Amino acid sequence: MSSHREAPETAKDPVADNTDVYAFVSPDAPDTVTMITNYIPFEEPDGGPNFYEFGNEDVLYLIHVDNDGDGLPNVSYQFEFHTVVRNRDTFLYNTGPIESLDSANWSRRQFYTLTKVLNYGTPDAVSTVLATKVPSPPCNVGPRSTPNYRDLADEAIHTFNPRRKVFAGQRKEGFYVDLGSIFDLGALRPFQNLHLIPMAAAPGVNGTRAVNVHSIAIQVPITDLTSGGTKPSGVYDPKATIGVWGAAYRHKLHIQRQHRQVDSGPWVQVSRLGNPLVNEVVNPISEKNRWNTFAPVQDSMFAKYVAHPELARLLPVLYPGVFPHLASLKAERADLLAILLTGIPKGLIDGFQNYTGPTQADMLRLNTAIPPKFPNNQNIYGILGGDLAGFPNGRRVADDVTAIELRAIAGATYPLVDPNYKPDAAAGQLTDGLTPKNTDQDYLYHFPYLATPLSGFDYPRGH
């Protein structure tokens, strides 16, 4: 879910599968924005002997920022990885404890080059290399192989220029969702007694428990991202809001020659992600692969699926009698179009806007003038919970985007555009029954925010 294996072709290409994107004003450095993109869904911690890694020169990873509302990138951060095999005479990932990033015991290492690109994909593009040969940490193998993993991960946090940080490596999966129940005909365990095929209500089960991901995170000053490099004057400053999305690219030509492969030609986009769950549960199967190849500026062609989401039609069928008001709502969902494709304009929510203009584009829209909240004070339901620093104002690692989007699709946000509409009582209560507390999430209070990955020794397959 979110964007794990969300399209048929993407599901076959995990190293290029963008699973989650986060963008938020950093709570521990409030003059900066942190952006995170995750790849490689459902990494089993005990993944040896070939432990997980980013694509080796055959995948280009980018974090894009639009600061003028046209759905095209103005500022992009590009990551290109290179693998070095130190010991070619062993089948082992490591031949002894890995106690530092340059350990001779570590057989297969990855490094990356970080490049900042202005106006990516245009004739006016300007590239500046910010860092080279930056090491990624190893995967968390176990207490003998990676005995001080937290220190290894901290060693991989690279500071480039003042107040700018970058990290690329394995992390614990931070997204929580009851996959098994939701994809069993849209059942939500806490409410499944009301389902068309009823069962006893039960607590949610986290389908992403005990797995890791590979995470790319960068933290930069707000003024690195805003139009003209200006500090926003306030919440209603048009320059305060930026759009953020992640994308992965592969070479256009791939040739397999016996024991080796050759990739050449221009980079072409194979995966992208802005708002969670759009390509997962809004776009139909027939459009998912196609959607992954387009830039956000072209999303008006998919807007009809947001304006009339299939799930909004299914909920009254799957839960008979629970959603009578939603069943009668036939109008175009202007609330969802605003939340997901244009941003929320001034005047709908007191003290808030993240509107980027009329261009319909799937991006995480972050109003950088809204101060962050320290994790202990955050409401996981974001704006629906009265917390203007949370989703859909960007997205923090703990935000319960599954519940937020379920509630929005069920009609909880429609009164923003039609005050006469009364949502069904259930619309504001929908949840899969999971929270960070009951899914054992242990997010960090500092960069890179996602927790230390689980080790294969401690979390063997099926744990």
Side-chain angles (χ1 to χ4, degrees):
M1 203 120 167
S2 190
S3 192
H4 297 56
R5 297 172 47 85
E6 92 293 348
E9 291 305 312
T10 306
K12 303 172 187 176
D13 190 8
V15 296
D17 185 351
N18 193 337
T19 67
D20 282 289
V21 174
Y22 304 93
F24 50 91
V25 177
S26 314
D28 56 333
D31 61 340
T32 71
V33 166
T34 295
M35 298 174 289
I36 304 171
T37 56
N38 291 343
Y39 292 86
I40 315 179
F42 306 115
E43 292 184 6
E44 295 281 358
D46 55 347
N50 297 304
F51 287 90
Y52 299 94
E53 63 185 18
F54 292 104
N56 177 32
E57 299 181 343
D58 58 346
V59 180
L60 191 67
Y61 302 92
L62 281 110
I63 298 175
H64 292 302
V65 177
D66 171 21
N67 61 28
D68 59 12
D70 63 359
L72 293 168
N74 300 107
V75 181
S76 302
Y77 294 94
Q78 175 180 295
F79 296 77
E80 192 165 6
F81 291 84
H82 173 64
T83 302
V84 175
V85 179
R86 172 174 279 173
N87 186 346
R88 295 182 174 273
D89 296 322
T90 181
F91 73 93
L92 293 167
Y93 184 71
N94 57 290
T95 55
I98 304 173
E99 296 180 328
S100 69
L101 296 184
D102 61 356
S103 171
N105 293 326
W106 186 9
S107 305
R108 186 177 175 93
R109 305 172 64 194
Q110 275 202 317
F111 300 85
Y112 60 94
T113 297
L114 170 62
T115 304
K116 182 177 181 178
V117 186
L118 302 180
N119 304 313
Y120 181 86
T122 73
D124 300 323
V126 177
S127 299
T128 304
V129 175
L130 301 178
T132 61
K133 297 181 179 179
V134 185
S136 290
C139 289
N140 192 359
V141 179
R144 297 172 184 83
S145 295
T146 47
N148 299 297
Y149 193 86
R150 191 180 295 270
D151 291 342
L152 278 174
D154 287 346
E155 193 178 337
I157 297 173
H158 178 70
T159 299
F160 62 100
N161 299 327
R163 298 184 300 131
R164 295 165 178 85
K165 298 178 181 178
V166 66
F167 172 89
Q170 193 179 52
R171 294 278 88 188
K172 181 181 177 183
E173 172 64 84
F175 177 61
Y176 49 96
V177 63
D178 190 343
L179 283 171
S181 183
I182 287 175
F183 285 110
D184 185 19
L185 293 181
L188 300 169
R189 288 185 217 261
F191 308 101
Q192 65 183 4
N193 58 308
L194 303 175
H195 194 275
L196 182 66
I197 305 174
M199 297 176 66
V205 176
N206 186 17
T208 58
R209 179 179 180 271
V211 295
N212 298 321
V213 291
H214 262 60
S215 184
I216 296 172
I218 188 166
Q219 184 178 92
V220 297
I222 292 171
T223 52
D224 282 9
L225 306 176
T226 55
S227 178
T230 59
K231 183 178 180 180
S233 60
V235 171
Y236 297 120
D237 183 347
K239 293 184 178 181
T241 299
I242 59 173
V244 178
W245 71 100
Y249 301 75
R250 283 194 176 276
H251 286 291
K252 190 171 186 179
L253 180 64
H254 173 82
I255 301 174
Q256 188 70 41
R257 290 183 174 176
Q258 294 180 339
H259 65 283
R260 59 187 290 265
Q261 63 183 36
V262 178
D263 297 286
S264 64
W267 294 103
V268 294
Q269 182 178 291
V270 296
S271 175
R272 65 154 164 142
L273 176 61
N275 286 293
L277 305 173
V278 170
N279 205 29
E280 184 88 26
V281 298
V282 176
N283 291 334
I285 291 175
S286 60
E287 296 281 22
K288 290 177 182 293
N289 292 332
R290 184 167 169 258
W291 184 90
N292 266 329
T293 66
F294 287 107
V297 67
Q298 297 163 299
D299 281 341
S300 60
M301 71 177 79
F302 304 103
K304 61 184 177 182
Y305 305 119
V306 177
H308 299 282
E310 181 183 13
L311 184 56
R313 300 193 301 271
L314 288 174
L315 282 172
V317 176
L318 294 173
Y319 292 87
V322 178
F323 297 99
H325 296 167
L326 181 64
S328 64
L329 179 56
K330 306 300 182 183
E332 182 177 89
R333 292 297 301 273
D335 57 325
L336 300 180
L337 289 169
I339 291 168
L340 298 176
L341 295 182
T342 64
I344 300 170
K346 176 183 177 181
L348 297 184
I349 299 174
D350 289 343
F352 179 76
Q353 67 87 24
N354 66 351
Y355 184 66
T356 55
T359 298
Q360 293 180 322
D362 175 48
M363 307 181 292
L364 276 179
R365 287 170 171 82
L366 174 66
N367 188 317
T368 60
I370 293 177
K373 288 191 174 182
F374 202 67
N376 286 340
N377 296 321
Q378 293 175 4
N379 188 303
I380 62 171
Y381 303 114
I383 291 178
L384 291 187
D387 183 353
L388 300 184
F391 183 75
N393 184 33
R395 179 188 174 189
R396 301 168 303 201
V397 293
D399 286 341
D400 188 351
V401 294
T402 301
I404 294 168
E405 292 200 357
L406 279 172
R407 295 175 185 187
I409 289 173
T413 55
Y414 195 68
L416 291 175
V417 297
D418 183 358
N420 295 319
Y421 177 80
K422 183 179 180 180
D424 297 296
Q429 301 176 32
L430 288 182
T431 174
D432 60 355
L434 301 177
T435 70
K437 291 182 179 180
N438 66 17
T439 53
D440 299 321
Q441 291 293 351
D442 47 359
Y443 305 114
L444 305 179
Y445 286 0
H446 53 80
F447 186 85
Y449 299 99
L450 292 177
T452 300
L454 306 172
S455 80
F457 179 86
D458 296 311
Y459 289 85
R461 200 173 305 265
H463 178 83

